[in-house]
Amino acid sequence: MVVKIDDVARLAGVSKTTVSRVLNNRGYLSDATIKKVHEAMESLNYQPNAVARQLFKKETKLVGLIFPTVDNPFFGQLVAALEKRLFDAGFKVLIGNSMNDPKKEETYLKELISNQVDGLIVGAQNRGIEEYHNTNLPVVAIDRVMNEDIPVIASDNYMGGKLATELLINSGAKNIINTDGPVNLETPAHRRREAYEDVMKEHRLVPHTHIVDFSWDIEKKRSAVEEMFVEYPEVDGVFATNDMDAALIWQVATSLGCQIPKDLKIVGYDGANSTRILLPELTTIEQPVEQMAKVAVKTLVSRIKGDRNIPLEQIIPVKVWNGKSV
Amino acid sequence: MVVKIDDVARLAGVSKTTVSRVLNNRGYLSDATIKKVHEAMESLNYQPNAVARQLFKKETKLVGLIFPTVDNPFFGQLVAALEKRLFDAGFKVLIGNSMNDPKKEETYLKELISNQVDGLIVGAQNRGIEEYHNTNLPVVAIDRVMNEDIPVIASDNYMGGKLATELLINSGAKNIINTDGPVNLETPAHRRREAYEDVMKEHRLVPHTHIVDFSWDIEKKRSAVEEMFVEYPEVDGVFATNDMDAALIWQVATSLGCQIPKDLKIVGYDGANSTRILLPELTTIEQPVEQMAKVAVKTLVSRIKGDRNIPLEQIIPVKVWNGKSV
DNA sequence: GTGAAAGCGCTAACAA
DNA sequence: TTGTTAGCGCTTTCAC
């Protein structure tokens, strides 16, 4: 049998109210009582039932995280960073990998709400899910536009796109392709592409975007990349919207006899921890993951505390990771 | 105000028992009632409170995952795979990144128990935490020995170590170093080293293990690797106990003017999805992550259902990923 | 300083 | 086929 507050009370010879008081240390308690109760808890190895407490308090100290998948260097690092900050702030993490499946995202959303999470941090791909609106649950979005009153934390995507494109142009590339997901997703990440197009035009170069969807499996992505080289044989520079795509492009290019960076220059985006260890040669735009996590958690916690005076958009500067691919 | 079962009952003109019945569809219900209740739920946008249900049922449909960190290709993929299988089995995931901190692991363990998780899947580094023993909570360990009655799922570490070492020897390496974490951790992963030592001795070669602790930060690891090359200047082969270490060794070797695989042959371990995309040239032993996740979840679910007839050790075969580093 | 009692939102005997 | 009632383990008001 699991030991509960009554058992402790009985053993300590007090009422359960008193045990609850020492548990939460509030109200007047004599030192003797406190000691007795602590001893009883020790000897019974008592662990309070958080669920019962949650039901009463209407507060779970649980935060839901909805992201595409932690099987990705960027999201893995981001989720780890969020988890760390949330832990320090006293929250546990319920995770939902949406796998870019709107159905799964919606299910998760409903279940997390049903589980009474105190807040949500969302970086999944799919907008337009009704539940995000029909709730006054505190929500923070990372690099996603959810709706008008949900605060967004993002890296400086425009600056990142600009830096990447300039890096390519300055190293002599002229026929530069950008890879990106489909535009129908309204994400701040598309500002990378906007910047790319602006910079290209500034330099009187023609921008081309080739679609590589984040949710495709590896083989589908690989053929999209192969297609890209067929469609644009004159390509001498690529700005990939994430490092996994960049790595794939690198591989395909190499298999086609291209030398990097002599024949083809590549700049990626994300610069996650494990990417920088596994493929440090890739020049990339490093997202400030730790900083984003810090700001996201801070923002969410303020919202949970009832602060209504929260900036709707917080943009965090990026920096360049100098590899050897430009 | 949040809508609860009473509100639905009132609107539908029935008792809350009836609403509860249609919610869980059990017992006899007339079609008319079912319809009325569903309509009331719809129009009020009712979401049942899972916490209240959990308190009553003493079942949360929550599983805790305790792993070092999802900011790592292997653990990221493993956690994603576990989450997927658990979701399909009707469980949500509470995550705890122990960061190899025994204190944090213990705190998580206590809080997950307090949150009444139905089960635990553990792949953290630290054994000897008392709570794992003082509980009859269903627990499954991945690649870790917890205690005598906790089932362990592991890849075939011995075979992996054997394959790796043979790969190096067959490609002509003679002075082969193995990197591993400290031995004081009693993990099945050390069988990789045992196999390495056995195979080396079989070939009348001298085994040497160089310690690279998983929990060190990247700079500390890097200097450990640099030290390795100083200590063993004649090294011509390395069997690294994980791919991140292998990548680091590759980098340091290259910076020292070594050519891979001509001057130095490297075999890693793990072969996670993102590693194979970012660094496909690395020859490595691929852990059957999906399979391990599948078996782990299946085992946990049987335990949760009360099955006591569970194999204590389940070993899953590995395979070689042929890169270009041997 | 401490305890009795009510109630958080739900489910399940038991009755009807 | 449906409703009444008790209770899951905890916290908190109110009384003493």
Side-chain angles (χ1 to χ4, degrees), chain B residues 270-295:
Chain B
D270 284 348
N273 284 336
S274 35
T275 308
R276 294 199 323 272
I277 292 173
L278 293 168
L279 189 55
E281 299 83 6
L282 176 65
T283 297
T284 188
I285 307 300
E286 213 180 314
Q287 295 211 53
V289 179
E290 296 300 327
Q291 195 60 23
M292 288 163 77
K294 184 174 162 184
V295 173

Side-chain angles (χ1 to χ4, degrees), chain B residues 304-319:
Chain B
I304 290 175
K305 285 193 180 142
D307 193 345
R308 305 236 106 249
N309 198 207
I310 285 181
L312 273 180
E313 195 178 45
Q314 292 175 83
I315 303 287
I316 313 191
V318 296
K319 59 187 183 195

Side-chain angles (χ1 to χ4, degrees), chain A residues 6-296:
Chain A
D6 287 292
D7 303 315
V8 178
R10 204 168 315 121
L11 182 62
V14 296
S15 77
K16 55 184 188 155
T17 309
T18 303
V19 177
S20 171
R21 285 209 184 92
V22 345
L23 224 39
N24 301 283
N25 65 97
R26 58 158 87 271
Y28 303 101
L29 267 350
S30 77
D31 288 352
T33 310
I34 294 179
K35 185 145 172 286
K36 264 191 307 184
V37 171
H38 273 137
E39 280 167 6
M41 294 198 300
E42 289 272 292
S43 84
L44 293 175
N45 199 270
Y46 171 67
Q47 288 292 124
N49 181 328
V51 172
R53 179 180 290 163
Q54 288 164 5
L55 179 59
F56 186 90
K57 292 245 205 170
K58 296 166 156 203
E59 177 192 79
T60 53
K61 287 292 179 183
L62 250 30
V63 166
L65 257 37
I66 303 184
F67 285 89
T69 172
V70 291
D71 181 15
N72 168 280
F74 174 68
F75 289 117
Q77 186 185 346
L78 182 56
V79 167
L82 289 169
E83 182 271 345
K84 183 183 180 316
R85 305 270 175 186
L86 286 166
F87 179 84
D88 291 344
F91 293 92
K92 258 127 282 146
V93 164
L94 262 170
I95 203 160
N97 293 145
S98 72
M99 300 306 294
N100 302 296
D101 175 352
K103 201 90 120 288
K104 196 173 176 197
E105 178 173 353
E106 196 168 349
T107 308
Y108 257 126
L109 182 58
K110 279 194 183 149
E111 305 220 323
L112 294 180
I113 290 174
S114 169
N115 269 282
Q116 314 298 116
V117 292
D118 292 342
L120 230 40
I121 302 181
V122 180
Q125 303 283 309
N126 311 294
R127 75 183 259 109
I129 290 182
E130 217 181 301
E131 276 77 8
Y132 286 124
H133 304 253
N134 293 347
T135 174
N136 45 3
L137 187 68
V139 178
V140 167
I142 294 195
D143 228 12
R144 296 289 176 263
V145 175
M146 311 283 310
N147 72 34
E148 294 56 38
D149 44 72
I150 291 181
V152 179
I153 320 293
S155 70
D156 192 341
N157 286 292
Y158 192 90
M159 181 55 77
K162 186 163 153 29
L163 287 170
T165 313
E166 286 173 351
L167 234 30
L168 290 163
I169 292 176
N170 293 342
S171 67
K174 297 236 172 321
N175 297 106
I176 302 170
I177 312 266
N178 165 241
T179 68
D180 196 2
V183 264
N184 55 2
L185 258 166
E186 223 182 283
T187 120
H190 285 314
R191 302 218 182 110
R192 300 173 196 170
R193 180 204 295 204
E194 278 171 50
Y196 156 80
E197 289 174 351
D198 292 350
V199 173
M200 289 293 278
K201 284 174 191 158
E202 245 172 53
H203 287 78
R204 313 212 168 284
L205 296 171
V206 187
H208 290 289
T209 291
H210 191 78
I211 300 296
V212 181
D213 197 316
F214 183 87
S215 62
W216 289 346
D217 67 41
I218 178 73
E219 283 320 318
K220 179 124 197 234
K221 280 187 184 171
R222 192 185 301 274
S223 37
V225 169
E226 282 162 358
E227 220 168 69
M228 183 185 85
F229 283 108
V230 174
E231 200 170 328
Y232 306 100
E234 72 290 2
V235 56
D236 57 2
V238 178
F239 167 35
T241 202
N242 68 64
D243 290 336
M244 300 307 274
D245 290 356
L248 206 52
I249 289 162
W250 191 323
Q251 277 173 48
V252 172
T254 305
S255 76
L256 258 35
C258 254
Q259 297 215 353
I260 314 291
K262 192 167 72 65
D263 308 322
L264 181 72
K265 297 165 207 333
I266 304 179
V267 176
Y269 206 100
D270 285 347
N273 284 337
S274 36
T275 309
R276 295 199 324 273
I277 292 173
L278 292 169
L279 190 55
E281 299 84 7
L282 177 65
T283 298
T284 188
I285 307 299
E286 213 181 313
Q287 294 211 55
V289 179
E290 296 300 326
Q291 196 58 23
M292 288 164 76
K294 184 174 162 184
V295 173

Side-chain angles (χ1 to χ4, degrees), chain B residues 21-310:
Chain B
R21 285 207 185 93
V22 345
L23 223 40
N24 301 284
N25 65 96
R26 59 157 87 270
Y28 303 101
L29 268 349
S30 77
D31 288 353
T33 310
I34 294 179
K35 187 146 170 287
K36 264 191 306 184
V37 171
H38 272 137
E39 280 167 7
M41 295 198 298
E42 289 271 292
S43 83
L44 293 175
N45 200 270
Y46 170 69
Q47 289 292 125
N49 181 327
V51 172
R53 181 179 288 163
Q54 287 164 4
L55 178 59
F56 185 89
K57 292 247 206 168
K58 298 169 155 202
E59 177 193 81
T60 54
K61 287 292 178 183
L62 250 30
V63 165
L65 257 37
I66 303 185
F67 285 89
T69 173
V70 290
D71 179 16
N72 169 279
F74 174 68
F75 289 118
Q77 185 184 348
L78 182 56
V79 167
L82 289 169
E83 182 272 346
K84 181 181 182 318
R85 305 270 175 186
L86 286 167
F87 179 85
D88 291 344
F91 292 92
K92 260 126 283 147
V93 164
L94 262 170
I95 202 161
N97 292 145
S98 71
M99 302 305 295
N100 301 298
D101 175 352
K103 199 92 120 288
K104 196 172 176 198
E105 178 172 353
E106 196 169 349
T107 307
Y108 256 126
L109 181 58
K110 278 195 182 149
E111 305 221 323
L112 293 180
I113 291 174
S114 170
N115 269 282
Q116 315 297 117
V117 293
D118 292 341
L120 230 41
I121 302 181
V122 180
Q125 302 284 309
N126 311 293
R127 75 183 260 107
I129 291 182
E130 216 182 303
E131 276 77 8
Y132 286 123
H133 304 253
N134 294 346
T135 174
N136 45 3
L137 187 68
V139 178
V140 168
I142 294 195
D143 228 11
R144 298 288 175 264
V145 175
M146 313 283 309
N147 74 33
E148 293 55 41
D149 44 72
I150 291 182
V152 179
I153 320 295
S155 71
D156 191 341
N157 286 292
Y158 191 90
M159 181 54 78
K162 184 162 153 29
L163 287 171
T165 312
E166 286 172 351
L167 234 29
L168 290 162
I169 292 176
N170 293 343
S171 66
K174 297 238 174 318
N175 297 104
I176 303 170
I177 312 268
N178 165 240
T179 68
D180 197 2
V183 264
N184 56 1
L185 258 166
E186 223 182 283
T187 120
H190 285 315
R191 300 215 183 113
R192 300 173 196 169
R193 180 204 293 204
E194 279 171 48
Y196 156 81
E197 289 174 350
D198 291 350
V199 173
M200 289 294 279
K201 284 174 193 157
E202 246 172 53
H203 287 78
R204 313 213 168 283
L205 296 170
V206 188
H208 290 288
T209 290
H210 191 78
I211 300 296
V212 181
D213 196 316
F214 183 86
S215 63
W216 289 345
D217 68 39
I218 178 74
E219 283 321 317
K220 178 125 199 233
K221 280 187 184 173
R222 193 185 301 274
S223 35
V225 170
E226 281 161 358
E227 219 168 70
M228 182 184 86
F229 283 108
V230 174
E231 200 170 328
Y232 306 100
E234 72 289 1
V235 56
D236 57 2
V238 178
F239 167 34
T241 202
N242 69 64
D243 290 337
M244 302 305 275
D245 289 356
L248 206 54
I249 289 163
W250 192 322
Q251 277 173 47
V252 171
T254 305
S255 76
L256 259 35
C258 253
Q259 297 215 354
I260 314 290
K262 191 169 71 65
D263 308 322
L264 181 73
K265 296 165 208 331
I266 304 178
V267 176
Y269 207 100
D270 284 348
N273 284 336
S274 35
T275 308
R276 294 199 323 272
I277 292 173
L278 293 168
L279 189 55
E281 299 83 6
L282 176 65
T283 297
T284 188
I285 307 300
E286 213 180 314
Q287 295 211 53
V289 179
E290 296 300 327
Q291 195 60 23
M292 288 163 77
K294 184 174 162 184
V295 173
V297 170
K298 191 160 167 277
T299 305
L300 186 70
V301 171
S302 315
R303 276 281 281 115
I304 290 175
K305 285 193 180 142
D307 193 345
R308 305 236 106 249
N309 198 207
I310 285 181

